[in-house]
Amino acid sequence: LRKSLPTTTYVNVEFALFALGDRAYGPTAFCAAGRKLAARLVQLGATPFCGLGYGDDGTPNGGVFADLDVWLNSELLPKFGSGAVDDSIRLLDPLYRYRVIEAKDTNDMSKNEHTHKGKSAEEWQMEEYRTYYDEFFASACPATAYRYNDGGKVDTGDVRVDPPIIGHVVKNERITADDWMQDTRHIEIQVDLKKKGSSPDSTFIFCKDNLPYVAGDVATILPSNTAESVDRFLSVLPRRILSMADVPIEVTHLPGRPTPWPKRCTLRGLLTYCADINSLPEREDLRALAPYCNIDHEAGSDHRDKLVSLSETRDAALYGDYVLREKRSWIDVLYDFDSIQYEAGDDNTQ
């Protein structure tokens, strides 16, 4: 979109754009980036497919989601005609497949498989999983990510050859007023790094003199979920899935449908280091869950209908109240819709 582009750059292109903003910042700043982008696209020859949408974070009963629904129903979807939206409730096509790794496939793991340099190890540090987790961690890093060697210096090369650096949050303070809607925080992380030397357990602590960081750098932080939250998530899954939480599995990415998961791990490890189980599910996520409600459960049919309603544009206020306002995570949703975990033989009264 640079100024030197000719005005015919996008002459055969149509675009639809929904801008995000907050009217609390004033009329000039509201959705400014989106409005400028739309104007620039028109300057370069593009044609609006429909009217520009404006999402206000302060809109009652749903915020930007409520505005998005209005825009979808009044501007975008009518352009496609009737029947353009698939309202069916069905299982989505899988993104990957998995298989349980038999004991003979684990290369005779030793009795010390759960230790790392003589200490209790995290799963991603274990020899049988480390390569696969390193690939996953590397995929989450920007292309220009630093690589650190044992001395804490910046080096160049493939970031996958080194494991992530472990850090500990030592300060997490809110710096915005308690009555302000945005929760902006000052966070300090102490980073530890093993160094070469006669003592393998010696620790190298970054300080202001050797921290390989310059102004403009962005830290890629890969948080892990607590054991308690993972246990709670597992507890709201069907028993047949819970029973294999600590079994080694191999994940196969289907052609054309890559996923970020490690190719070899356990379900518990995947939930601990890779999945954002404490995030708020999107509306399409709730619709995708609907087919998993077991209609043999006394509330199964009602649960399915409720999840569909939560995903509908006409019920934006319902989604806003249930998920956004109450900040219900995946764990909370699976707990509330317990027909998802129901299996034949379960007692409906429990």
Side-chain angles (χ1 to χ4, degrees):
L1 302 182
R2 60 185 182 275
K3 292 183 178 180
S4 61
L5 290 176
T7 57
T8 57
T9 300
Y10 298 124
V11 69
N12 294 318
V13 174
E14 291 183 301
F15 71 92
L17 193 151
F18 183 79
L20 302 180
D22 190 331
R23 294 186 190 277
Y25 288 100
T28 303
F30 176 62
C31 290
R35 288 188 282 109
K36 290 179 180 179
L37 176 59
R40 182 57 177 151
L41 289 172
V42 171
Q43 287 178 348
L44 296 175
T47 303
F49 181 70
C50 62
L52 181 64
Y54 300 96
D56 181 5
D57 198 42
T59 298
N61 298 322
V64 297
F65 289 98
D67 294 329
L68 176 62
D69 291 339
V70 173
W71 179 74
L72 288 173
N73 291 321
S74 64
E75 293 286 344
L76 184 62
L77 295 182
K79 293 288 186 179
F80 293 99
S82 61
V85 179
D86 183 4
D87 291 327
S88 62
I89 303 174
R90 57 183 175 81
L91 295 176
L92 300 180
D93 294 333
L95 298 177
Y96 58 89
R97 299 191 186 279
Y98 79 92
R99 73 174 182 92
V100 173
I101 301 175
E102 303 294 339
K104 60 183 177 59
D105 296 330
T106 59
N107 295 323
D108 298 321
M109 297 177 185
S110 67
K111 292 185 295 183
N112 297 323
E113 65 184 34
H114 297 298
T115 63
H116 177 66
K117 295 185 177 180
K119 295 183 177 181
S120 177
E122 301 282 350
E123 181 173 298
W124 64 269
Q125 295 174 312
M126 298 178 188
E127 188 66 30
E128 64 270 26
Y129 301 123
R130 188 169 58 201
T131 299
Y132 307 105
Y133 274 104
D134 285 351
E135 291 177 351
F136 165 76
F137 294 141
S139 71
C141 295
T144 56
Y146 288 151
R147 172 178 175 243
Y148 302 96
N149 59 25
D150 288 337
K153 304 297 183 180
V154 179
D155 198 356
T156 58
D158 189 348
V159 296
R160 291 175 296 180
V161 301
D162 292 324
I165 296 170
I166 299 176
H168 306 277
V169 176
V170 295
K171 181 178 291 187
N172 183 0
E173 299 177 348
R174 178 174 177 136
I175 59 178
T176 47
D178 292 338
D179 58 351
W180 181 245
M181 60 181 296
Q182 292 177 324
D183 184 1
T184 304
R185 293 183 171 269
H186 171 74
I187 299 176
E188 293 184 7
I189 300 175
Q190 177 178 291
V191 180
D192 301 341
L193 183 68
K194 297 292 183 181
K195 69 175 182 179
K196 292 180 179 179
S198 57
S199 175
D201 295 325
S202 60
T203 303
F204 184 95
I205 306 297
F206 284 128
C207 65
K208 64 179 182 179
D209 296 325
N210 56 32
L211 180 65
Y213 175 88
V214 295
D217 283 355
V218 176
T220 299
I221 299 176
L222 304 172
S224 58
N225 296 306
T226 65
E228 292 77 14
S229 64
V230 172
D231 285 340
R232 186 172 175 231
F233 187 92
L234 288 168
S235 71
V236 294
L237 296 179
R239 288 196 312 273
R240 58 187 172 80
I241 298 178
L242 173 61
S243 66
M244 56 175 290
D246 298 298
V247 176
I249 58 175
E250 184 175 86
V251 181
T252 302
H253 303 179
L254 297 183
R257 294 178 176 271
T259 68
W261 308 129
K263 295 179 181 178
R264 182 169 292 195
C265 60
T266 66
L267 176 59
R268 186 183 301 277
L270 187 150
L271 294 173
T272 301
Y273 309 108
C274 310
D276 191 2
I277 60 177
N278 290 298
S279 64
L280 309 184
E282 302 287 353
R283 290 188 301 187
E284 58 266 30
D285 297 327
L286 299 180
R287 192 177 192 88
L289 279 178
Y292 292 95
C293 294
N294 193 327
I295 59 175
D296 292 332
H297 185 276
E298 60 181 2
S301 296
D302 290 339
H303 284 176
R304 176 177 292 195
D305 294 341
K306 185 65 173 292
L307 286 170
V308 172
S309 294
L310 285 166
S311 71
E312 297 286 354
T313 57
R314 63 176 179 268
D315 285 325
L318 182 63
Y319 174 79
D321 289 339
Y322 177 72
V323 175
L324 301 181
R325 187 169 300 161
E326 298 298 328
K327 299 188 183 301
R328 281 187 170 89
S329 67
W330 279 95
I331 299 174
D332 299 321
V333 171
L334 290 172
Y335 179 84
D336 290 344
F337 292 87
D338 58 345
S339 64
I340 293 175
Q341 70 177 110
Y342 176 77
E343 296 177 321
D346 287 347
D347 184 352
N348 283 359
T349 63
Q350 293 183 350

